[in-house]
């Protein structure tokens, strides 16, 4: 249950961290979309481990293969299965982890729910599950012609970049491995992340994302609001604890007369708003202004410090994180946030097509 | 599209603000649940307008009728249709609203999406849509035996109550119409809301909610995480701009070593955690600790000040809110947040039953 | 569960036979469709009881009201709730039925599934449940411009009309209350049905239906084949025991060389086939030739003869049908078959729009 | 779209006939089910081509691999991806097929729907798509403890076996490659199929299936009736043209007084019925009597005789089937029918668990 996302462009991800493979099947992809393994690989490479000194040392090439649904470089309208084999497995000794519950990990809740779990590398709860999401998102982006989705790291722990006046360029974002487009802040973030690793500790932060170029009217007014589907998409990512769109929590401290976005015409005579406190959505539907949201990521649960916990037979034990892990998940989460945003966007687009006779 | 919530306990709401009726149909309610119109009415009365000086003056009795699915006081397992007729309609003159887009309302996006809208009282985008949610939530609460869902107003504009040490009681919350359990703060909030109304302005704030008594293991590990479904449920409510669970955005500023919740045994020998930064979920599944989240509500878009906007034919016009409205939606949103939380809880419970052979 | 039909044009029906009301909510109806209560009433009148000497004597006006989703004669794109109040209730004494299981009725299986049932008039298992389907089908037909759906009674018991060379006209079908367009056969059917009623017995038969004007390419190639969705729709109707499309069971006795439909061009230069053994579908998708199918209906379970059965406490008892019922359900099932076909058609159309960028 | 089956035990199949692989992903499989690749392989071997002289000569080992969701021989509750690589590809020259529409094949409708198709071996419309179904069915059978699903060939063309008095044993069915348990009829069927192949022709027939051991009360009363879901499942199989349950079309020619199944107690004091014209379902729910249904399969569309048809540019052309194909699909369809029945059964079982608190 719960491994399927999207009503129209329907993505099912599969795979455990140390099983044979991870990947996804996409059902509902429109036909005639040009897509290649290299299009997908480019996005996978952005989330790949082992990219820099601030990420995990697990070394996976994460080479994808399209098993079905694409013929002569174009989608057939049939299910697209994309598979990445797991290579750099350290089967090693998971006996310890199998017998206890690591703090703030899902070991305990897996045991509570299923009475069984794959202890190797977190099993299904590994960040490797997101490979299927990124692969599907790469296909979704191809469909969203004219739409630019840009995510970046806005804060790490207490370090927060200044408010942006424009959407950062890909170059600005990728200038450093931390994917914060404000260079002075980025450098401090890198220092902090390295320091956290040295201390055997971890840090969290906030990713911001903008979707530009969406037409007005996407999303539905009641339960399937564009922002509701975004919120679900983002909170479905590992380690996330919050979501806000537009003015978000800060907007709760404004008066209505200041918060309201005034409609006006832009230089081309198109409808726009003077401000975008709404974050690009009104009543659950897009306004054509940038959809602008933030996602909160908690500090990585795996730390190299010794912690108290319980064993499966309810005895107090000590545990110390030994696996390869990211001291800060945010830089690698940037393409994942974008992928999920793309999935939400494509589904809203197809939903709108369905009612347009 | 988008008027259906829940895969198991499936709620479809219907109705426009000034149409004949609003309500819901619940498909998938288990049989043999004891429920009466008065159980539902009690919850509807909590969200009813005209309750106090700080809410809208629209006067609706909101009397519900169960049209189907209940026989001799018990659910049959068949669809439950609950209907509330709209009474206090001011058909009046909606010609003005029909021809323009009110700032930060859904008028523009409805027109963009559907090329048609019901201008009377916001049509489907009215808060009256939530009647169906509250009615369905009342049934859901009956199923969630042993679960206590408690929401309250934590902040209004800049006024924020002190951190709670325990979940407030219903009596504390309902001591004032603003539904903030901290009396000194509540009094200031009421003053502020009255002042906002006098000024023709509006205010927003934050609602906090706790679900206590849920067993461990509810929710699914990937897309249908308990917190993801909660986030979707909350962001599907009108005027919401943010959601956070547990430590939320503040947690992004903590180190992992402090953020991690240490497993231990409680006085009864049950598994618990020393802290609850997780907010009651790990890996998308409940831990049995309270599920603890916050929802951000923007200031009401309808204000009595004159504002610039555009007409449907793209001419600059002025608009001034004349309708009856709440200067602050939070007090009446408290039971709605609880209802949506109950719908998430019931669906997670039934999902878990489905895989338990 | 199971009271929802259709992924795009999503219909939820509700209501028990002797509850307050029956009806449906449609979510996903496109906006700007012209629809009125009289459009729906016309279809409801076709399935209404008390129309002739060969149907039940229950007298219901079945007057519908559109509670939501329609404004100034056009659909809004929001949920359409259509309600019919139950009037001619004979609350009378259902104590007997409540305590036993009528042969070939759903009393036993309801008790097995839910441990509770509404014994009044069959509760949810009444033919009155189909009112919601017919109402929704009336809306669906409005969307299917250029599509003509025609159902008729092809056989009753051993009486079968000759093979048709063309689709019968509405006039031919409605010339007699039995809705068989071949007059000599129709007259014999009416005699047989009257005789069955006199004998306290009942008869079954076969309804044939054709959908003309559907474009090629509707339906999906694997699970959601057009004919699979039709089969589900038809077998979801009370009293149905079989479905066949095109050559059906008879086609299993032909050789491939004769069964294959040869592609050719019609007089307008459009692709057609010389024969239509396929029944208008190939590989699950429409060919643009008429979709042509049959549905088998068993003889009505309620008969006025005394039968052996069991009481709920497993004692042998006698039962005799006393309620008002149809000795042959087929004539009134004609508009219901059409309604379900329309729902399948609209969903396939919207599905196709969703993938057409 | 349309490549997903089941709301609880959700199967997505993927793969084209001559792509890299075919298979399925199962989401919603309960945890702790013992399953191995050999369990799945056993079922796949039953549908494998090249088994006998009466099936296609395409030689595929169809070796399956479980890529995820199973750990130490037990299901984890996470998605199970099962993959079979395509080996015996004859890439050869599909240029001819790519340019025309074979009679009674899906070439034309694929072109109409998608404007693109994979011409190699029928692409997605190949019988190889059913590999994923059989694999998923093998897992489903493991969950349905105490349930025996038995399918067999009842008729081929005009050859029909005598009515059975009991469910045939696996040994009786598998005594000949045609899978008809009545030996004299089976021998004639084999002769006929061989003769059809020699003549370059093909034959169809009827498969019968029984599900024994299902508890009473599975399935839902309205749209998701057990028989409706079965009908959809069966009509979703390639080459199917009809479905009937219990008395089926023949039952339409009986009077109600004879058709009704009288409730009585069996020798163990359990509720049963004297006859089973219902085919094991009443009001859409199982009665605990065998679910008994038939599926009509048309003669194989591919024949080795020359036929007229149209090219994609609407020119009259000749076509002759050259590929490897089955002159009669029924023997290999037997395990596929069983697999789909198992999927329906598991979903109904899980649906029932969900509402049982």
């Amino acid at each position: 249950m719960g491994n399927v996302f999207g009503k129209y462009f329907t993505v099912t991800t599969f795979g455990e961290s140390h099983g044979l493979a991870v990947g996804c099947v996409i059902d509902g992809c429109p036909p005639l979309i040009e897509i290649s393994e290299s299009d997908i690989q480019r996005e996978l490479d952005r989330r790949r481990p082992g990219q820099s000194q601030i990420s995990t040392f697990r070394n996976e090439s994460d080479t994808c293969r399209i098993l079905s649904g694409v013929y002569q470089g174009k989608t057939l309208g049939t299910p697209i299965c994309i598979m990445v084999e797991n290579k750099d497995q350290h089967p090693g000794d998971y006996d310890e982890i199998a017998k206890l519950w690591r703090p703030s990990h899902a070991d305990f809740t897996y045991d509570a729910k299923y009475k069984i779990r794959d202890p190797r590398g977190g099993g299904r709860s590994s960040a490797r599950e997101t490979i299927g999401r990124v692969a599907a998102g790469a296909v979704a982006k191809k469909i969203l012609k004219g739409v630019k989705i840009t995510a970046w790291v806005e804060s790490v722990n207490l370090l927060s970049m200044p408010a942006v006046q424009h959407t950062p360029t890909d170059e600005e974002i990728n200038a450093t491995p931390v994917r914060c487009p404000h260079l002075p802040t980025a450098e401090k973030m890198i220092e902090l992340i390295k320091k956290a690793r040295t201390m055997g500790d971890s840090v969290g932060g906030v990713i911001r994302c903008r979707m530009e170029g969406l037409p007005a009217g996407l999303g539905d007014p009641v339960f399937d609001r564009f922002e509701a589907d975004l919120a679900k998409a983002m909170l479905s990512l590992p380690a996330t604890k919050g979501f806000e769109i537009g003015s978000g929590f800060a907007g709760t401290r404004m008066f209505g007369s200041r918060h309201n976005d005034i409609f006006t015409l832009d230089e081309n005579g198109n409808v726009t708003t003077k401000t975008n406190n709404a974050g690009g959505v009104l009543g659950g539907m897009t306004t054509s202004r940038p959809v602008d949201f933030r996602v909160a990521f908690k500090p990585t649960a795996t730390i190299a410090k010794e912690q108290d916990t319980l064993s499966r037979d309810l005895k107090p034990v000590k545990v110390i994180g030994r696996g390869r892990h990211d001291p800060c998940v945010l830089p690698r989460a940037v393409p994942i946030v974008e992928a999920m945003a793309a999935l939400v966007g494509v589904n809203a687009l197809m939903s709108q097509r369905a009612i347009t006779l």
Side-chain angles (χ1 to χ4, degrees), chain A:
Chain A
M1 308 272 180
N3 298 282
V4 181
F5 187 86
K7 189 173 160 184
Y8 301 88
F9 187 91
T10 303
V11 178
T12 307
T13 68
F14 62 86
E16 278 74 41
S17 181
H18 288 63
L20 293 179
V22 293
C24 69
V25 180
I26 306 166
D27 190 27
C29 182
L32 298 169
I33 306 295
E34 293 188 22
I35 190 85
S36 67
E37 285 172 349
S38 64
D39 291 323
I40 297 164
Q41 197 62 52
R42 195 177 313 122
E43 294 292 322
L44 290 179
D45 286 348
R46 293 176 66 209
R47 79 154 287 294
R48 201 158 61 81
Q51 297 175 71
S52 78
Q53 279 201 300
I54 60 170
S55 69
T56 169
F57 301 134
R58 178 166 176 169
N59 189 8
E60 289 277 0
S61 67
D62 285 351
T63 307
C64 72
R65 285 165 70 206
I66 301 175
L67 297 184
S68 65
V70 177
Y71 179 60
Q72 297 181 338
K74 287 183 183 159
T75 58
L76 285 164
T78 61
I80 302 170
C81 183
I82 305 169
M83 185 180 76
V84 167
E85 289 181 57
N86 294 321
K87 304 270 191 190
D88 185 26
Q89 300 163 20
H90 282 204
D93 192 350
Y94 286 97
D95 284 359
E96 188 194 3
I97 285 176
K99 288 179 186 155
L100 56 76
W101 300 314
R102 291 168 295 160
S104 293
H105 274 275
D107 304 334
F108 169 69
T109 49
Y110 264 88
D111 278 348
K113 183 178 195 72
Y114 297 114
K115 320 295 178 209
I116 182 175
R117 88 180 124 97
D118 179 353
R120 303 167 301 162
R124 180 78 180 137
S125 254
S126 159
R128 289 191 71 69
E129 181 274 327
T130 61
I131 284 176
R133 306 186 190 219
V134 171
V139 181
K141 281 184 177 182
K142 284 277 178 175
I143 299 170
L144 292 170
K145 286 191 187 115
V147 178
K148 179 83 173 76
I149 302 174
T150 312
W152 65 93
V153 174
E154 194 175 73
S155 73
V156 169
N157 198 272
L158 296 169
L159 299 167
S160 196
M161 63 180 278
V164 291
Q165 301 304 319
H166 68 283
T167 305
T169 64
D170 293 347
E171 292 66 36
E172 290 171 319
I173 294 165
N174 295 320
T176 70
V178 81
R179 290 191 173 125
C180 170
H182 186 256
L183 203 58
T185 312
E187 285 167 354
K188 286 182 201 155
M189 287 173 173
I190 293 168
E191 280 315 296
L192 180 64
I193 295 169
K194 285 183 181 170
K195 190 174 152 204
R197 183 196 293 265
T198 307
M199 296 189 306
D201 215 325
S202 65
V203 285
V206 174
I207 286 179
R208 185 163 179 183
C209 182
R210 273 197 188 157
M211 307 173 75
E212 294 167 298
L214 291 167
L218 297 193
D220 286 287
V222 179
F223 295 117
D224 297 348
R225 289 169 177 247
F226 198 90
E227 65 268 39
D229 283 347
L230 273 180
K232 167 151 183 162
M234 297 306 147
L235 266 294
S236 82
L237 291 172
T240 53
K241 302 306 286 182
F243 170 87
E244 58 180 7
I245 187 158
S247 63
F249 281 89
T252 69
R253 296 186 287 273
M254 294 161 75
F255 281 89
S257 55
R258 206 187 124 216
H259 191 273
N260 282 357
D261 299 312
I262 301 304
F263 286 108
T264 185
L265 296 176
D266 68 13
E267 59 271 31
N268 301 314
N270 295 320
V271 177
T272 187
T273 53
K274 289 188 181 174
T275 48
N276 187 17
N277 287 315
V281 288
L282 283 176
M285 297 166 277
T286 52
T287 62
S288 80
R289 295 279 277 144
V291 171
D292 192 338
F293 62 91
R294 286 183 183 83
V295 188
F297 288 81
K298 70 175 187 179
T300 314
T302 306
I303 57 175
K305 288 178 193 281
E306 189 180 74
Q307 297 172 93
D308 290 316
T309 192
L310 291 173
S311 67
R312 287 185 76 177
D313 55 358
L314 305 188
K315 299 279 186 301
V317 291
K318 303 280 187 188
V319 65
I320 186 161
R322 267 187 269 267
R324 299 155 296 172
H325 65 274
D326 289 277
C328 176
V329 299
L330 279 89
R332 286 178 58 209
V334 162
I336 306 173
V337 164
E338 289 180 13
M340 292 308 297
L343 294 183
V344 171
V346 157
N347 275 286
L349 184 69
M350 293 177 71
S351 170
Q352 183 64 4
R353 294 291 159 97
I355 62 163
T356 307
L357 300 182

